[in-house]
Amino acid sequence: MLLNALPLLAPLILLAAAFAPRHMQEVDARKGAWIAEIATLATIAVAVLSALVLIITGGGDSFLLGLFGIGFSVRLDVVSVVMLLLVTFIGWVVVRYARTYLDGEPRHDSFTFWLLATLSVVLLLVQSGNVVQFVFAWVATSMCLHQLLVFYPQRDAAQRAARKKFVLARIGDFALVGAAILLTICYGTTQISAMLAGAASGQGGGWTQGAAALIALAAILKSAQFPLHGWLTEVMEAPTPVSALLHAGVVNAGGFALIRFADVMLLAPLVLAILVIIGGFTALFAGLVMLTQPTVKASLAWSTIAQMGFMILQCGLALFPLALLHIVAHSAYKAHAFLSAGGAVEGVAAIRRPGPVAVPDLRAVTRAFVVALGIYAVIYAIIGFTLDIGGKSPQAVALGAILIFGVAYLLAQGFADEAPKALTQRTAAYAALATVSYLLLQRASEWLTAGALPATPPAGALEWALIILALLSFALVAVAQATLPLWSYHPAAQGLRVHLSNGFYINAVSDRLLGGWIKTTNKKEAAQ
């Protein structure tokens, strides 16, 4: 039990590195940034040691550093260790980048302080052993991040976006507090493992379903889901390291909450169905808007919203191991994408214009989708049964088919009449590789989280309806994207593009509502 508390060292190291320069003589901002980088490397070592402890001892709950169920404790399992490794690594990358990116800035030391504070509370969140700590870390993460978002006080757009996020975050905080209270009343404990054990045995009733609904609401707000997604597209005025930290880490907290309380969520099928609808629609909507954005950072922001929607969709389908895998993959990709965005733009600008591009017609697109799904079915039948995943849930099979729709877009380019044979062969190989990779990663995630996350329950009538709806929706959008060159020059399509690039003005509506609330609040404060 004592070794299970090892992860608590990670946030303590970061907090020590944050406060130490403020009480040490002759330590300027540059030296403080060096201390911060060394501290993040130390947290990676703590995460690795925690993983070894889990492998050797099997993990479990640590002692409670507090009284009456209130305090700090660690739930050491596969989920927390994976997140510890992820957060510490991404944190080190961001801190190292920020050390040179902000070198010479007047408030570099303040930025480093709040960056380390944000990382420390995120680490507290992912290792939480009780709901009191979970709620505290959830709220503290938002508060610390707010200080980073308003780092440039002279940038009005950044200030406005931060205020909008602040309002929505407080709604999510209240929802999570309500969920924690309901779960504590229902199970008579603040210990998360005891709550999950009770939920896994079917205990809870209406209290638990209410808690699941509130957790879902908090996750939707934290993960920037439609229609309250606008704030995530407006925080580009903050320093680039903040964008990387937000998009690669903090925004994933909503999905992590759903994964951590997976057993509770399974007791509320209607809540899961709502998550499927909201997450699926957000993924489709944001994915289409992303294609119309003129700047790299705006495209990456909409990409994050779409990816978070897909993660919420996975949680709604009760594919929690795959949702955890999605968090890891998206975080690593998005941190790299933001931190290398400038170099990528320069690289693309240096590339010579390509020659004629093969444009697939509707027949080629249809053939591409049929071949892609055929490859998926054959490989699933061969490898699936070999790895003992042939009889897995229809939810996982459908998710794989949705991913294959993206590969079908590549195949369509290869099946175009003007496409060379080598391109056709290469895109077919990509389709086979994507299918094999998905099946292997699916099996690996399920094997790794066995015992820590619940298995996907059998699909009922509601689940089948949602699966079919998701398949049809994603297939329709994939076909529209693949045939884009055929209809994009139509006048109606040009008008649609304008509306899409503005996100159908949903963000403007929320700006008016929240902006009016903020102005009213400011007037009251001024009057007082």
Side-chain angles (χ1 to χ4, degrees), residues 231 234 244 280 439:
W231 63 268
E234 296 179 347
L439 293 176

Side-chain angles (χ1 to χ4, degrees), residues 408-423:
Y409 171 75
L410 294 176
L411 278 176
Q413 311 304 310
F415 285 172
D417 294 334
E418 300 85 356
K421 184 177 180 180
L423 179 60

Side-chain angles (χ1 to χ4, degrees), residues 92-149:
W92 169 66
V93 171
V94 172
V95 168
R96 180 178 175 82
Y97 183 90
R99 179 172 60 81
T100 56
Y101 181 86
L102 290 167
D103 189 27
E105 286 275 356
R107 298 173 57 235
H108 187 185
D109 56 341
S110 177
F111 181 90
T112 302
F113 175 85
W114 286 112
L115 179 58
L116 292 178
T118 303
L119 288 171
S120 67
V121 290
V122 171
L123 288 173
L124 274 178
L125 175 70
V126 300
Q127 63 184 270
S128 296
N130 62 85
V131 291
V132 177
Q133 178 183 338
F134 193 95
V135 171
F136 165 76
W138 178 281
V139 177
T141 297
S142 179
M143 293 294 187
C144 293
L145 181 64
H146 182 79
Q147 298 300 320
L148 294 174
L149 293 176

Side-chain angles (χ1 to χ4, degrees), residues 69-90:
I70 301 175
F72 298 100
S73 61
V74 176
R75 176 170 169 77
L76 189 66
D77 62 359
V78 171
V79 176
S80 61
V81 166
V82 168
M83 294 302 296
L84 277 171
L85 291 169
L86 176 65
V87 173
T88 53
F89 175 72
I90 296 297

Side-chain angles (χ1 to χ4, degrees), residues 4 52-61 76-78:
N4 291 344
L52 293 176
V53 170
L54 175 64
I55 294 172
I56 296 172
T57 67
D61 291 337
L76 189 66
D77 62 359
V78 171

